[in-house]
């Protein structure tokens, strides 16, 4: 007959222990196996031991008294090593765990269907009635962190059943207070786990022995150690002491440089590196020094330097936000940046510079994925509100100021998103861009769900790592363009398609239709998923059945209904948008663009990513999952490749196509059993590659916002100086308005870049004043002179003539010839001389523009009267 040993760790549980043991033995009539109870007591002084000894006289109960080397985990492991049962059940003594659930926990183990069962509070049927809010919040946070590393809903449960060998194998000197978590990780990915719902009631008597702060820190340190992170209370305190000393040096150098009139960006970079060598030496020799005395090495310093750069760029974003956006003084702002960099440094040192050996590579990848993901989010959050809009973003902001159901060059989704967030946060860079970050988050959630469904949760975390680190995906989470919502909808469409094909769920086609329709409202290229889906259904026998069912066709109809506003707009405007994105793309002379196309793919995915695309053909064994990923990614990519053979392609066109290859790339790195050199190369190359990507993006963001020492701004860089140009143009415009009595019309004399940027920054300068809409109503493009200006020709129709908008105009262009002054003179305008505008960023000249003023006859007469 099988035997089950129930292990109960106790400390001063005299009010609960009798009731618990009696309820356990009340189960004997309902079970077909023997029971023994082991009470492992850690120095109780309230009579708990005496009560257990009385039970021991007449029942299979044993007391294991421990007066030294206390700890819940050590008690449980000691009980496991003393137990004689074939199955071990671990539970608390405070009656929060109902012993009546023991048969449900033991049954799957006896049947051999699993290796471990967990009494779960967080699956269907489980609950925690009566818990106060703070305890629910603490449990939610702890469980969420634990679920990064394991694939169960309640890894923090103290009530579970397991085979004895697993618990006995745990190291009592390293295990933390949550033995369930330790067992799950020790069992590895092959451990079969089932969760059983319970109602978790608070203790009936006595007091909890848990110190949330102390236990919480120990818990985090232990999880980090399991994933290879060198975190401990000792290293944390030592790191803090070193950091405080380094901060004194940092602030001293920064203050001296500011006093000497150095720019704030250069000052903080120089002061940061002044403390870097001090930090590294002290941390290597003291903070993280443990068994290995050879930490101070060239390779270690190289890793530390890369970490220092990553922390520097993060610190620059915090500094810029606090100083430029919130108005903090430089010294106070740099202190905020120092604290942000300190957190980044500590985590980076623990995991990458002075790491421990992880329990297994899956844990390491999960931890690395989350760390990189958090860094990518935080870096963008702190820079998106202080970096000037690129001209495409400013152009789409102008979309939002002329809300419509369609536009010439793109569908309206980007305009609707910008309009919503600017209505909430005002006309600011952060408001324009926050929609991009949220769209990226939606895309990441769908990619995670897709990878988990096709492969595993571990693969899903590595997929997030790639979504966070590949250049295309990093960029669309920072800049608000149509690609941001397109990627979110593309990922959603792929997820629901996979649900339909692999889970055979009819309802998933509704998700396909909704995401596909929203994707069409974002960018037309998502239509390529339709023939890709048909191709997969034609090739895959198990999916071919859908061709005979109504759901795919209803999904297509639903997508078209959602897309119908754009169709209506095009019908009213001579199908302008469809022509612009269709036949106009095919028009023109032949141009072989294949080399550039391949270069763009390498830029979007990195060269390592390009290798990974070829690596997806290896080790897949032709299974349905791989076939789905490859067809849904490569069909759209091949369409663009074919187009590149005779016409120009754009950098971002293929970006969304690679979304479906990300789960397959992650699978190749984590689980593929191929011995291919390419796959082995990828396993080693991905982390360094993403580090380089982050450093390039971080350096670029820092450069555009704060500059970099010894790195001058190039002449006429179109990414910088727009707010200064708008300030100067606004001053000219205000002076003209006062002198003529007319509201001047400002014309940006290039395709749409100058007009878009001036419109946004003139509006931002106005703030909430009565003329805050002036920047939109009185900023136009060059379409009056027969030049292309995209949507500006719809917002300011040429057939009305310039005088219909104003009798005074200010023409701003990149060079004197672009101002078209001869045409103005022929049209009867009085034109002033061409003057130069020097645009500055951080006090440094970054652009040279030219302007001239035109007046009609009526404006001149009013001016003369004045």
């Amino acid at each position: 007959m099988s035997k089950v040993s129930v292990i109960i760790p106790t400390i001063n549980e005299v009010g609960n222990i009798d009731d618990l043991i009696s309820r356990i033995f009340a189960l004997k009539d309902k079970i077909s196996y023997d029971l023994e109870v082991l009470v492992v007591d850690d120095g109780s002084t309230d009579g708990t031991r005496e009560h257990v000894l009385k039970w021991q006289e007449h029942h299979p109960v044993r007391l294991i008294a421990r007066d030294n080397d206390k700890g819940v985990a050590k008690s449980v492991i000691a009980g496991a090593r003393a137990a004689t049962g074939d199955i071990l059940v671990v539970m608390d003594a405070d009656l929060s765990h109902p012993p009546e659930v023991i048969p449900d926990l033991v049954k799957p183990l006896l049947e051999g269907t699993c290796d471990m069962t967990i009494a779960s509070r967080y699956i269907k049927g489980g609950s925690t009635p009566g818990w106060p809010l703070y305890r629910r919040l603490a449990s939610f946070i702890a469980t969420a962190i634990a679920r990064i590393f394991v694939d169960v809903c309640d890894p923090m449960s103290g009530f579970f059943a397991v085979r004895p060998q697993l618990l006995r194998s745990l190291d009592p000197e390293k295990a933390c207070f949550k033995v369930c978590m330790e067992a799950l990780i020790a069992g590895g990915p092959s451990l079969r786990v089932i969760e059983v719902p319970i109602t978790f009631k608070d203790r009936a008597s006595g007091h909890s022995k848990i110190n949330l702060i102390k236990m919480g820190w120990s818990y985090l340190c232990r999880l980090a150690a399991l994933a290879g992170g060198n975190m401990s209370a000792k290293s944390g305190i030592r790191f803090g002491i070193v950091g405080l000393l380094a901060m004194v040096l940092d602030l001293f150098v920064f203050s001296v440089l500011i006093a000497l009139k150095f720019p704030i960006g250069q000052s903080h970079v120089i002061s940061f590196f002044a403390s870097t060598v001090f930090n590294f030496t002290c941390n290597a020799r003291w903070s993280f020094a443990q068994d290995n005395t050879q930490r101070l090495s060239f390779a270690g310093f190289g890793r530390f330097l890369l970490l220092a750069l990553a922390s520097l760029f993060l610190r620059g974003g915090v500094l810029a936000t606090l100083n430029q956006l919130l108005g903090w003084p430089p010294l106070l702002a740099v202190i905020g940046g120092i604290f942000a960099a300190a957190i980044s440094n500590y985590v980076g040192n623990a995991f990458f510079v002075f790491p421990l050996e992880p329990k297994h590579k899956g844990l390491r990848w999960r931890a690395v994925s989350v760390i990189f993901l958090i860094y990518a989010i935080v870096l963008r959050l702190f820079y998106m509100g202080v970096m000037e809009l690129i001209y495409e973003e400013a152009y789409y902001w102008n979309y939002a100021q002329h809300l419509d159901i369609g536009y010439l060059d793109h569908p309206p989704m980007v305009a609707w998103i910008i309009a919503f967030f600017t209505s909430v946060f005002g006309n600011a860079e952060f408001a324009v861009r926050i929609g991009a970050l949220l769209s990226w988050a939606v895309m990441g959630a769908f990619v995670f769900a897709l990878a988990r469904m096709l492969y595993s949760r571990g693969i899903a975390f590595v997929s997030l790592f790639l979504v966070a680190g590949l250049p295309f995906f990093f960029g669309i989470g920072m800049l608000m363009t149509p690609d941001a919502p397109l990627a979110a909808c593309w990922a959603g469409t792929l997820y629901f398609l996979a649900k339909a094909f692999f889970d055979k769920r009819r309802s998933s086609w509704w998700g396909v239709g909704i995401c596909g329709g929203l994707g069409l409202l974002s960018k037309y290229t998502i239509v390529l998923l339709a023939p890709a889906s048909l191709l997969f259904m034609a090739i895959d026998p198990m999916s071919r059945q859908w061709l005979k069912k109504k759901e795919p066709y209803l999904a297509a109809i639903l997508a078209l209904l959602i897309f119908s506003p754009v169709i209506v707009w095009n019908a009213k405007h001579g199908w302008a948008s469809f022509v612009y994105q269709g036949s106009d793309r095919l028009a023109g002379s032949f141009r072989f663009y294949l080399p550039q196309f391949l270069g763009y793919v390498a830029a979007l995915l990195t060269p390592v990513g390009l290798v990974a695309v070829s690596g997806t053909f290896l080790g897949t064994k032709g299974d349905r999952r791989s076939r789905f990923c490859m067809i849904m990614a490569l069909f759209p990519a091949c369409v663009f490749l074919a187009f590149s053979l005779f016409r120009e392609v754009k950098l971002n066109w293929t970006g969304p196509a690679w979304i479906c290859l990300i789960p397959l790339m992650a699978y190749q790195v984590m689980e593929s059993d191929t011995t291919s050199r390419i796959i082995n190369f990828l396993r080693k190359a991905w982390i360094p590659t993403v580090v380089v990507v982050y450093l390039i993006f971080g350096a670029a963001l820092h450069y555009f916002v704060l500059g970099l020492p010894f790195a001058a701004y190039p002449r006429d860089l179109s990414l910088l100086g727009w707010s200064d140009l708008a300030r100067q143009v606004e001053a000219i415009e205000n002076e003209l308005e006062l002198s003529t009595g007319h509201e001047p019309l400002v014309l940006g004399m290039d395709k749409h870049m100058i007009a878009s940027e001036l419109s946004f920054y003139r509006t931002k300068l106005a703030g909430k004043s009565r003329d805050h809409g002036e920047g939109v109503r009185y900023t136009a493009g060059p379409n009056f002179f027969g030049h292309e200006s995209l949507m500006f020709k719809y917002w300011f129709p040429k057939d009305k003539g310039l005088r219909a908008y104003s009798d005074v105009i200010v023409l701003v262009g990149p060079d004197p010839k672009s101002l078209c002054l001869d045409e103005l003179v022929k049209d009867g305008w009085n034109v002033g001389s061409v003057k130069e505008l020097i645009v500055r960023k951080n006090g440094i000249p970054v652009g040279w523009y030219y302007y001239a003023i035109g007046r009609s006859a009526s404006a001149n007469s009013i001016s003369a009267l004045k």
Side-chain angles (χ1 to χ4, degrees):
M1 181 180 290
S2 299
K3 177 189 266 189
V4 173
S5 298
V6 182
I7 301 170
I8 308 171
T10 59
I11 302 178
N12 295 329
E13 294 288 357
V14 69
N16 300 313
I17 194 65
D18 289 326
D19 191 7
L20 176 60
I21 295 177
S22 65
R23 288 170 63 183
I24 290 174
F25 284 111
L27 299 171
K28 286 190 68 70
D29 295 336
K30 303 177 182 179
I31 58 178
S32 59
Y33 43 83
D34 291 334
L35 278 175
E36 73 165 347
V37 174
L38 288 83
V39 178
V40 189
D41 187 77
D42 270 5
S44 292
T45 58
D46 65 344
T48 299
R49 292 185 177 183
E50 288 73 12
H51 281 249
V52 174
L53 288 172
K54 289 181 180 180
W55 279 97
Q56 188 171 308
E57 294 175 0
H58 305 288
H59 294 80
V61 175
R62 279 192 284 158
L63 173 67
I64 301 175
R66 290 163 39 85
D67 295 313
N68 300 310
D69 201 22
K70 298 178 182 179
V72 176
K74 293 179 179 180
S75 295
V76 172
I77 295 170
R81 292 176 177 177
T84 60
D86 306 296
I87 296 171
L88 306 182
V89 174
V90 178
M91 65 187 306
D92 291 344
D94 58 7
L95 299 179
S96 59
H97 298 152
E100 292 74 19
V101 178
I102 289 175
D104 295 330
L105 291 176
V106 171
K107 182 180 178 182
L109 286 162
L110 290 175
E111 294 174 346
T113 57
C114 72
D115 305 309
M116 182 177 182
T117 54
I118 299 173
S120 177
R121 299 160 289 182
Y122 302 125
I123 62 172
K124 186 177 181 180
S127 62
T128 55
W131 272 21
L133 179 60
Y134 80 89
R135 189 170 179 186
R136 291 179 184 273
L137 182 61
S139 178
F140 172 79
I141 294 172
T143 302
I145 295 172
R147 291 200 66 210
I148 295 171
F149 300 96
V150 293
D151 301 333
V152 299
C153 294
D154 195 359
M156 304 298 291
S157 176
F159 191 13
F160 59 92
V162 71
R163 298 286 178 185
Q165 296 81 1
L166 187 57
L167 285 188
R168 290 169 185 167
S169 68
L170 300 180
D171 185 349
E173 298 303 320
K174 294 182 178 179
C176 69
F177 67 102
K178 285 300 179 183
V179 187
C180 178
M181 182 76 182
E182 294 281 346
L184 287 167
I185 290 177
S190 61
L191 187 71
R192 298 173 299 165
V193 183
I194 292 176
E195 293 186 80
V196 176
I198 63 164
T199 298
F200 185 99
K201 296 181 179 179
D202 215 345
R203 62 169 50 247
S205 65
H207 301 283
S208 174
K209 287 81 179 176
I210 295 178
N211 182 320
L212 285 179
I213 296 176
K214 182 179 179 181
M215 290 295 188
W217 176 250
S218 299
Y219 167 64
L220 290 176
C221 290
R222 180 57 184 159
L223 286 182
L226 291 169
N230 188 356
M231 292 175 63
S232 66
K234 182 183 290 187
S235 70
I237 292 171
R238 289 180 173 183
F239 184 87
I241 294 172
V242 172
L244 287 174
L245 294 174
M247 186 175 73
V248 173
L249 175 62
D250 200 334
L251 290 176
F252 173 76
V253 175
F254 181 81
S255 300
V256 170
L257 293 174
I258 290 293
L260 294 174
K261 306 299 183 183
F262 274 67
I264 187 173
Q266 294 188 20
S267 298
H268 106 92
V269 172
I270 296 170
S271 68
F272 177 85
F273 280 105
S275 62
T276 296
V277 175
F278 174 83
N279 252 319
F280 174 72
T281 304
C282 293
N283 286 329
R285 294 294 190 187
W286 188 48
S287 302
F288 295 97
Q290 293 185 347
D291 298 330
N292 189 350
T293 59
Q294 303 299 320
R295 295 288 185 183
L296 194 59
S297 64
F298 179 78
F301 185 75
R303 291 193 300 270
F304 183 83
L305 182 60
L306 294 177
L307 171 63
L309 288 172
S311 298
L312 169 68
F313 300 142
L314 175 61
R315 165 173 145 159
V318 175
L319 169 66
T321 296
L322 296 179
N323 178 247
Q324 298 178 13
L325 208 59
L326 302 181
W328 289 24
L331 192 60
L332 197 59
V334 82
I335 290 175
I338 287 172
F339 278 107
I343 297 172
S344 172
N345 265 323
Y346 180 65
V347 175
N349 274 288
F351 279 91
F352 304 110
V353 182
F354 310 108
L356 303 175
E357 189 66 29
K359 195 73 175 177
H360 53 78
K361 73 170 185 176
L363 290 178
R364 173 74 171 172
W365 269 105
R366 292 187 186 212
V368 167
S369 299
V370 172
I371 291 170
F372 276 63
L373 183 69
I374 292 173
Y375 180 85
I377 293 172
V378 173
L379 186 71
R380 284 178 289 199
L381 275 173
F382 278 107
Y383 276 105
M384 65 170 47
V386 289
M387 190 178 83
E388 291 180 314
L389 297 185
I390 64 171
Y391 67 86
E392 287 94 342
E393 292 177 295
Y395 177 57
Y396 300 130
W397 174 85
N398 274 274
Y399 270 22
Q401 309 313 304
H402 303 85
L403 275 180
D404 207 337
I405 57 174
Y407 299 93
L408 171 66
D409 41 339
H410 285 296
M413 181 64 76
V414 64
W416 297 349
I417 294 174
I418 292 174
F420 173 76
F421 285 108
T422 52
S423 69
V424 176
F425 298 110
N427 293 306
E429 291 88 347
F430 178 85
V432 173
R433 290 182 172 134
I434 187 61
L437 185 60
L438 294 177
S439 296
W440 174 86
V442 171
M443 178 200 66
F446 275 124
V447 170
F448 185 90
L450 176 65
R452 181 178 57 185
M453 179 177 59
L454 293 179
Y455 295 104
S456 69
R457 201 160 174 269
I459 299 299
F461 275 101
V462 181
S463 298
L464 277 186
F465 167 79
L466 297 175
V467 165
L470 290 175
F472 173 76
F473 302 111
F474 192 101
I476 63 171
M478 177 70 190
L479 304 175
M480 190 62 215
T481 68
D483 288 312
L486 171 68
C489 297
W490 195 294
T493 305
L494 290 172
Y495 170 74
F496 287 112
L497 281 170
K499 292 283 284 185
F501 293 149
F502 294 95
D503 291 349
K504 299 180 180 179
R505 293 195 178 182
R506 294 174 178 266
S507 60
S508 297
W509 288 104
W510 294 110
V512 172
I514 292 171
C515 289
L518 294 176
L520 285 170
L521 289 176
S522 302
K523 206 170 180 180
Y524 301 140
T525 49
I526 198 173
V527 75
L528 293 173
L529 287 181
S533 301
L534 290 173
L535 178 60
F536 178 77
M537 285 187 277
I539 292 175
D540 182 59
M542 296 181 67
S543 301
R544 202 171 296 152
Q545 59 177 315
W546 288 113
L547 293 172
K548 301 176 182 179
K549 296 182 179 181
K550 62 183 179 182
E551 283 80 8
Y553 307 103
L554 291 175
I557 293 171
L558 176 59
L560 287 174
L561 287 174
I562 294 172
F563 180 61
S564 60
V566 176
I567 299 175
V568 171
W569 186 91
N570 273 274
K572 291 180 178 179
H573 293 83
W575 309 104
S577 183
F578 295 155
V579 171
Y580 181 87
Q581 295 289 2
S583 58
D584 285 358
R585 295 284 186 193
L586 297 172
S589 58
F590 170 86
R591 186 172 183 182
F592 184 69
Y593 220 75
L594 180 61
Q596 292 89 334
F597 170 82
L598 296 176
Y600 287 164
V601 174
L604 294 176
L605 299 180
T606 74
V608 171
L610 196 56
V611 173
V613 172
S614 64
T616 57
F617 292 93
L618 302 172
T620 58
K621 299 180 181 178
D623 62 284
R624 295 182 69 222
R625 300 171 303 177
S626 303
R627 191 181 302 123
F628 172 80
C629 291
M630 294 175 70
I631 289 176
M632 301 308 292
L634 296 181
F635 180 87
C638 287
V639 170
F640 293 124
L641 183 148
F643 191 83
S644 74
L645 298 177
F646 58 93
R647 290 292 183 274
E648 179 183 359
V649 296
K650 301 295 183 182
L651 171 67
N652 59 322
W653 281 6
T654 65
W658 309 116
I659 290 175
C660 205
L661 275 189
I662 286 181
L664 187 52
M665 291 178 182
Y667 168 76
Q668 295 293 335
V669 170
M670 286 294 295
E671 293 185 7
S672 174
D673 57 1
T674 180
T675 57
S676 164
R677 291 182 179 180
I678 292 179
I679 301 303
N680 290 330
F681 163 76
L682 292 172
R683 287 170 178 156
K684 297 176 182 178
W686 268 125
I687 292 179
T689 298
V690 173
V691 168
V692 171
V693 170
Y694 280 14
L695 292 179
I696 291 173
F697 273 103
L701 293 171
H702 195 287
Y703 177 71
F704 293 141
V705 174
L706 292 171
L708 289 170
F710 315 114
Y713 291 125
R715 183 185 176 100
D716 297 325
L717 182 63
S718 62
L719 298 173
L720 297 174
W722 294 113
S723 58
D724 187 44
L725 177 64
R727 180 188 57 79
Q728 296 184 57
V729 170
E730 189 69 7
I732 295 167
E733 185 270 344
N734 287 337
E735 184 179 342
L736 280 172
E737 184 177 359
L738 288 173
S739 64
T740 65
H742 289 265
E743 183 70 54
L745 176 69
V746 177
L747 298 179
M749 298 302 292
D750 60 2
K751 187 173 182 180
H752 66 286
M753 181 166 60
I754 295 175
S756 299
E757 295 280 9
L758 287 180
S759 180
F760 174 79
Y761 281 104
R762 289 182 66 203
T763 303
K764 183 182 176 183
L765 282 171
K768 295 183 179 180
S769 62
R770 63 178 180 81
D771 58 348
H772 71 278
E774 176 184 302
V776 176
R777 296 194 306 272
Y778 290 93
T779 308
N783 53 290
F784 297 101
F785 304 94
H787 301 306
E788 177 60 68
S789 62
L790 298 181
M791 280 304 301
F792 282 99
K793 66 185 178 185
Y794 290 89
W795 300 329
F796 297 89
K798 176 184 177 181
D799 53 13
K800 290 186 177 180
L802 268 173
R803 292 179 180 82
Y805 298 99
S806 179
D807 287 311
V808 180
I809 58 174
V810 181
L811 303 100
V812 183
D815 57 71
K817 292 183 180 180
S818 67
L819 301 181
C820 301
L821 299 184
D822 291 341
E823 296 181 44
L824 273 181
V825 171
K826 290 179 182 178
D827 195 32
W829 291 77
N830 295 310
V831 179
S833 60
V834 176
K835 297 180 181 179
E836 185 181 59
L837 291 172
I838 300 176
V839 175
R840 290 175 169 81
K841 177 72 175 180
N842 298 324
I844 303 171
V846 293
W848 284 258
Y849 296 86
Y850 299 86
Y851 79 96
I853 297 170
R855 296 179 175 87
S856 68
S858 59
N860 280 325
S861 62
I862 292 176
S863 179
L865 290 174
K866 284 182 176 291

